[in-house]
Every structure is written in C-alpha cells, then in structure tokens.
Amino acid sequence: MKSLVFDMIQHGQAAELAAQLANHAQLAEAQNADGISALRAAVYHHQPAIRDLLLPYLPELDIFDAASVGDTARIEQLLAFDPSLVASHSSDGWTPLHLAAAFADDATVRLLLSHGADTHARSHNTLASQPLHACIARSGSPASVQALIEGGANVNATQSGAVTPLHLAAAQGKTEMILLLLQHGASATARTTEDKLPTDYAREHGHTRAAELLSIP
C-alpha cells in the first residue's frame, strides 16, 4: 500500500490518494525505501495539490518536511527543543537549509540562517552541493538567493563536477538569478570538470539571452 501512495504522488493522482486517506489516514505518514516522507515526495515531484492534501494529516512535521513547505512556526518549535537540528541531514542527504532554499521561500531561509544554519554545508549525497546550488537548481527564488548571499554563501562554490551556481542558473536560463550572481562576484569564466563555461550551459539549453549575459568579451 505504501508503494502505491508514492506512485500516486509521482503521477499527481490527488483524488485517488484522497480516497485512500479517507479510509487509511496513517498512509499520510508513509516513507519510501529511502526514508523520504510522502509529503516531501509531493514537494519533490512538484505536486502542490497532494502536498496540501497531506498537510492536515500531519500536525507534527519533522525539521525536513517543515523546511520543505516553509512551516516557520514548526521550525521555531523544533529548534527551540533541539537547536542541533539546524545542522542535521535528511535520509537523502539534505540539510533543512538546502530544502528551504530549494522549495520554500526567503522567509524560511532567513529563519534558518538566524538559527545558525551553515550556507557552506555540503549535501551528503553524490551532488555534494551547498544550499545556493539547491536553490538555483530547483524552484528557489531570487529572494532566497539574495538571502543566502547575505548569509555568507559563496557564489563561486562548486558541487560535483566543479559546477557553480552560475552554471546551474545558465542551464535553466534564469536571467534574474544570473544577473544577481554576477553582481555579487560570480565568475563567468569558471569551468566544470568537462571544461564548460556557464555560457556553454546556456547555449546547450537554448537560452540565448542567458548566453549573451554570460559572454566573455
């Protein structure tokens, strides 16, 4: 039954999941084989309807779920009880700050930073990324990027493959983030282990405007 829950989440089957929860409320607390909660799976798969469906069944979110959905009140409650949670890693390797930067908002990011979250923390997975990478790679906002930079994030930090935040922004054509990163000293000449510049990433993905912004004179 648990595997069915995650299949429904992946395919956006909110009505079908609602029917299951009506008779088996405990399914809202399901975790997959990697220890990822149903709620976080909904966030990862960009299924807001399912996220909102699950939340009423989950009155006590853990730090990772709370960070993912921007539940600042719950984060405050958890960190008041155990401040060390701010530096913890989820079963799939993310800190609360990674998750907030990727999926929540700048208010959640700033809250975690105020509690000592480390902008230089590496994810415990193959990406070995920092929160700024996570923010740009997923659905993070320019406001969250700004909050991370103000919190001390290194705009030229590299994740696996020597990929910088600017490479990630270029690959997605995120011109506002590109300009913000450049404004704060991001290097347009940084090369990955495959010897690619940020502008190469932009061109490969068809982002002409981004490529122009990153062109080296």
Side-chain angles (χ1 to χ4, degrees):
M1 181 68 80
K2 288 184 180 180
S3 62
L4 180 61
V5 168
F6 286 90
D7 286 341
M8 290 177 179
I9 291 170
Q10 184 175 351
H11 294 100
Q13 296 173 318
E16 293 86 342
L17 182 57
Q20 291 294 330
L21 290 171
N23 296 313
H24 307 283
Q26 71 277 9
L27 290 175
E29 301 176 8
Q31 294 185 348
N32 67 13
D34 296 319
I36 298 169
S37 69
L39 180 65
R40 199 143 37 92
V43 172
Y44 287 178
H45 287 291
H46 300 287
Q47 299 290 351
I50 293 179
R51 175 201 63 200
D52 295 344
L53 171 65
L54 290 167
L55 279 169
Y57 292 91
L58 301 166
E60 296 187 345
L61 301 180
D62 67 17
I63 190 70
F64 307 112
D65 285 358
S68 297
V69 300
D71 188 341
T72 53
R74 179 60 176 163
I75 291 170
E76 289 273 28
Q77 182 183 39
L78 288 165
L79 293 180
F81 178 75
D82 184 358
S84 71
L85 288 173
V86 78
S88 59
H89 285 77
S90 64
S91 60
D92 52 344
W94 307 110
T95 68
L97 186 59
H98 280 88
L99 294 167
F103 302 110
D105 53 26
D106 61 303
T108 311
V109 169
R110 292 181 187 280
L111 173 62
L112 288 165
L113 290 172
S114 74
H115 282 274
D118 183 6
T119 58
H120 303 115
R122 295 275 179 188
S123 61
H124 289 179
N125 49 42
T126 56
L127 287 175
S129 69
Q130 295 185 8
L132 185 57
H133 294 99
C135 184
I136 294 171
R138 300 303 296 254
S139 55
S141 68
S144 292
V145 170
Q146 183 67 45
L148 289 167
I149 292 173
E150 291 174 3
N154 177 4
V155 295
N156 290 306
T158 58
Q159 63 174 37
S160 62
V163 172
T164 68
L166 197 57
H167 283 98
L168 296 173
Q172 298 181 67
K174 294 182 175 179
T175 55
E176 187 174 357
M177 287 191 181
I178 288 170
L179 291 170
L180 184 57
L181 290 167
L182 290 172
Q183 178 186 343
H184 286 88
S187 174
T189 62
R191 292 183 179 273
T192 66
T193 54
E194 295 180 342
D195 201 35
K196 291 185 178 181
L197 296 165
T199 191
D200 295 326
Y201 273 46
R203 290 195 183 97
E204 288 174 4
H205 291 83
H207 301 304
T208 304
R209 177 56 181 155
E212 291 173 350
L213 291 173
L214 293 162
S215 293
I216 303 166

